[in-house]
């Protein structure tokens, strides 16, 4: 009842590697059941007649040093319902493993490669996972993992996706220190629980996530000169805020403006000046 991709994206520095899952289904709130991931540990998708206990168990096995294949074997050997399960796992090094139980409903199957596992069941056909793999491999390996996962999910959706239709989609990506304020590892955690075009809606939400919940890069930071500070203070007060700091907090721009107001993100500056919409 689901198609998903589990993947690792290393980037130029292994310390900044990301792990993630993207999933779509004709199932309410698929993001509540299928994905799980921990930075510097790995990621898993559990689906078909999903055993949600797999999430914690798999991550525990991976955290103890098991490879994706070993973690998968341990899950299956302890589960009498293994023939009804579908699972994809990627470990800390990017090794991938996938399982499709013999009792999963057609079409069901998977494909794995270096750093990714793609799987689906009750699909329109094998072309769904093939399209997802092609899109993932064609994506820029240095692009944010969430974008690459969504490219694969969109390709699977266009290829037919879930044979029963569309309802929900989700993307979860983790990276060390990537969370709000740098306090956890959640880089992206978005869900569309019930929607006519959930994958398309998920892409829209990812754009908002980038604006509000992603820290500015050094290239995006504009130094706050006295002149710029005066300009932004005027814009903030004209909009009804007490001052610039109040505007930042009220508009949820904490990840895009320095706490000490020493810099402002160039995109936030464009929004303030009315040169770009905030979506």
């Amino acid at each position: 009842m689901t198609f998903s991709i589990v993947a690792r994206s290393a980037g130029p520095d292994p310390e900044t590697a990301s792990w993630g899952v993207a999933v779509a289904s004709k199932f309410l709130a698929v993001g509540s059941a299928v994905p799980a991931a921990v930075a510097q540990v790995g990621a898993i998708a559990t689906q078909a007649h999903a055993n949600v206990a797999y999430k914690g168990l798999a991550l525990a096995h991976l955290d103890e040093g098991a490879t994706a294949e070993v973690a998968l074997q341990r899950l299956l050997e302890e589960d009498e319902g293994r023939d009804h399960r579908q699972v994809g796992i990627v470990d800390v090094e990017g090794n991938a493993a996938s399982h499709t139980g013999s009792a999963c409903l057609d079409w069901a199957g998977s494909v794995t490669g270096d750093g990714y596992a793609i799987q689906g069941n009750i699909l329109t056909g094998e072309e769904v996972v093939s399209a997802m793999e092609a899109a993932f491999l064609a994506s820029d390996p240095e692009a944010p993992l969430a974008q690459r996962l969504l490219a694969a999910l969109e390709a699977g959706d266009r290829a037919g996706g879930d044979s029963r239709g569309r309802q929900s989609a989700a993307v979860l990506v983790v990276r060390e220190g990537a969370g709000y304020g740098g306090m956890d590892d959640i880089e992206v955690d978005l869900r569309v629980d019930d929607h006519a075009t959930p994958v398309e809606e998920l892409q829209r939400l990812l754009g908002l996530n980038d604006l509000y919940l992603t820290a500015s890069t050094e290239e995006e930071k504009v130094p706050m000169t006295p002149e710029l500070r005066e300009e932004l203070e005027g814009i903030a007060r004209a909009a009804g805020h007490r001052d610039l700091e109040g505007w930042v907090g009220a508009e949820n721009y904490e990840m895009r403006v320095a706490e000490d107001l020493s810099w402002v993100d160039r995109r936030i500056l464009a929004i303030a000046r009315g040169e770009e919409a905030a979506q």
Side-chain angles (χ1 to χ4, degrees):
M1 58 187 175
T2 303
F3 55 104
S4 68
I5 174 170
V6 184
R8 173 188 186 269
S9 183
D13 182 358
E15 294 299 315
T16 62
S18 298
W19 291 260
V21 182
V23 56
S25 180
K26 180 64 173 70
F27 183 85
L28 180 67
V30 70
S32 68
V34 171
V38 173
Q40 301 299 325
V41 174
I44 176 175
T46 175
Q47 54 199 55
H49 188 60
N51 184 339
V52 295
Y54 276 7
K55 294 186 287 187
L57 292 170
L59 291 171
H61 293 321
L62 295 175
D63 193 36
E64 293 168 356
T67 64
E69 186 64 40
V70 169
L72 179 59
Q73 289 175 356
R74 291 177 181 173
L75 294 179
L76 298 178
E77 67 187 12
E78 297 169 358
D79 184 6
E80 294 183 356
R82 64 184 73 87
D83 289 346
H84 297 270
R85 316 295 189 203
Q86 192 170 51
V87 192
I89 301 176
V90 170
D91 64 28
V92 66
E93 299 293 338
N95 302 302
S98 187
H99 163 78
T100 298
S102 59
C104 290
L105 299 177
D106 288 337
W107 184 88
S110 66
V111 61
T112 61
D114 184 14
Y116 65 89
I118 300 169
Q119 44 282 316
N121 62 92
I122 319 185
L123 304 183
T124 56
E126 184 178 2
E127 66 274 6
V128 176
V129 294
S130 297
M132 293 175 70
E133 180 180 37
F136 184 73
L137 294 176
S139 63
D140 181 356
E142 295 189 6
L145 181 57
Q147 293 181 11
R148 302 183 67 199
L149 295 176
L150 260 291
L153 204 65
E154 288 180 325
D157 192 48
R158 288 193 302 269
D162 190 319
S163 62
R164 301 166 304 162
R166 302 175 175 90
Q167 186 169 9
S168 65
V171 60
L172 170 65
V173 175
V174 296
R175 177 170 54 84
E176 196 71 34
Y180 184 78
M183 302 300 288
D184 65 18
D185 68 349
I186 304 297
E187 183 172 358
V188 178
D189 186 4
L190 298 172
R191 287 173 32 178
V192 178
D193 288 344
D194 186 24
H195 198 278
T197 56
V199 176
E200 182 178 326
E201 176 66 4
L202 194 61
Q203 188 65 260
R204 185 186 72 84
L205 293 179
L206 185 59
L208 292 175
N209 186 90
D210 179 62
L211 175 62
Y212 292 108
L213 298 176
T214 301
S216 303
T217 65
E218 291 302 316
E219 293 75 19
E220 292 172 321
K221 296 177 181 179
V222 177
M224 187 76 78
T225 64
E227 294 78 14
L228 181 56
R229 173 69 178 266
E230 183 178 0
E231 176 190 358
L232 290 176
E233 288 283 3
I235 290 172
R237 290 195 173 92
H241 301 285
R242 70 183 187 201
D243 53 19
L244 177 56
E245 186 176 12
W247 175 75
V248 171
E251 297 298 329
N252 302 314
Y253 292 148
E254 296 93 335
M255 295 286 280
R256 293 281 180 171
V257 180
E259 187 173 358
D260 62 1
L261 301 180
S262 61
W263 56 263
V264 58
D265 185 283
R266 63 189 181 195
R267 186 173 173 189
I268 299 305
L269 183 57
I271 291 170
R273 289 171 170 168
E275 300 169 353
E276 179 179 337
Q279 296 183 2

